[in-house]
Amino acid sequence: MTGDTAVEIRVQPAPFDPGAVLSEFTARAAHSGAGAMVTFTGLVRDLPGADRLSCMEIEHYPGMTEKALAAIGAEAAQRWSLGPVLILHRFGALRPEEPIMMVATASAHRQDAFEAADFLMDYLKSRAPFWKKEKTSRGEDWVAAKDSDEAALERWTKG
Amino acid sequence: MDVLYFAWVRERIGLPRERVETEAATVADLVAELRAREDRYDLAFSDLTALRVALDQELAEFDAPLAGVREVAFFPPMTGG
């Protein structure tokens, strides 16, 4: 399926229904001749104990966000043999338990779909211009980037 | 050029974007000019290892040249996903 990858990017404030997005993606994937699909959905986690989360505010860089996601998707399409690819990410005010984002990949075989989805997540976490702020009963704080997220990129650049 | 700030950089400086007239040759030169302006800039740029920069919406390094650049953005490391 090399060469027929269509990367769909959605950056939106509106909530989405992962089931509905998956149904739509499944139809496109099947139509492309894919035999495998992998999806990842990120959810807003509540925080344990006294620091319960009231809201997760996601800021982004309009313009650069779409470009960065398209570049990450194009890179995945070059590395693996993929059918359609979807990258969806919300911004704005989100509540605990709401879906934040979703990645879906389709391929003839499962390994390409799994690896491409994993790659997309690693790159999206540290290379797409989104920032999260957690609002709790104790106040509000920007979520710090983790060294482990940066380290996760290295395994895609070796050999 | 347009200079944009995001997340806590925006909060420390107190505005999301501004027009800056500068002859700075590199990002680092621009940062030095901004830091000399006021304490809030000095504080926001006090630790460059905690910052990232994008030139015309592409990630760049702090020693990158600014010739021909229209939009510079400063922000903390990204936390998407």
Side-chain angles (χ1 to χ4, degrees):
Chain A
M1 350 179 91
T2 310
D4 57 1
T5 302
V7 180
E8 186 188 354
I9 306 296
R10 294 196 215 168
V11 181
Q12 63 184 56
F16 66 94
D17 172 2
V21 174
L22 180 57
S23 292
E24 198 186 305
F25 185 81
T26 303
R28 289 177 52 214
H31 188 67
S32 78
M37 292 189 332
V38 167
T39 63
F40 173 88
T41 307
L43 306 173
V44 181
R45 241 180 333 180
D46 202 352
L47 300 171
D51 286 351
R52 295 206 63 174
L53 186 74
S54 61
C55 175
M56 169 90 85
E57 186 83 35
I58 299 178
E59 182 170 333
H60 79 124
Y61 182 173
M64 180 174 170
T65 307
E66 292 80 358
K67 274 197 232 173
L69 293 178
I72 293 164
E75 170 82 23
Q78 249 183 0
R79 287 176 174 238
W80 292 279
S81 175
L82 299 173
V85 168
L86 169 73
I87 307 173
L88 186 164
H89 206 297
R90 288 181 64 191
F91 62 90
L94 281 69
R95 297 194 169 283
E97 301 181 13
E98 281 189 48
I100 298 182
M101 54 82 59
M102 196 163 160
V103 154
T105 57
S107 182
H109 304 291
R110 71 176 187 272
Q111 182 135 355
D112 281 1
F114 270 123
E115 286 182 10
D118 207 10
F119 169 90
L120 289 174
M121 285 310 304
D122 280 345
Y123 271 77
L124 190 152
K125 283 193 95 69
S126 327
R127 291 291 181 269
F130 290 101
W131 302 275
K132 290 179 184 146
K133 186 190 229 180
E134 290 174 342
K135 298 184 178 178
T136 70
S137 46
R138 298 192 189 196
E140 48 183 65
D141 243 322
W142 292 98
V143 174
K146 295 192 198 104
D147 289 342
S148 57
D149 287 339
E150 195 61 33
L153 298 185
E154 286 176 21
R155 66 191 168 120
W156 303 108
T157 54
K158 282 181 192 151
Chain B
M1 62 184 63
D2 290 317
V3 181
L4 281 64
Y5 310 106
F6 291 96
W8 59 253
V9 184
R10 171 178 53 73
E11 289 178 341
R12 281 191 195 172
I13 289 173
L15 72 174
R17 66 189 298 152
E18 62 185 319
R19 185 96 193 143
V20 174
E21 301 302 331
T22 179
E23 300 295 316
T26 66
V27 176
D29 294 342
L30 173 63
V31 167
E33 280 183 18
L34 291 170
R35 289 188 72 172
R37 279 180 165 186
E38 283 178 57
D39 284 351
R40 60 196 167 111
Y41 289 93
D42 194 36
L43 178 67
F45 289 107
S46 59
D47 177 10
L48 291 189
T49 65
L51 289 177
R52 300 287 180 267
V53 61
L55 302 180
D56 289 330
Q57 307 188 346
E58 297 275 352
L59 281 173
E61 301 296 330
F62 280 85
D63 59 3
L66 287 178
V69 171
R70 284 165 301 171
E71 186 173 293
V72 180
F74 294 104
F75 41 77
M78 294 89 123
T79 54

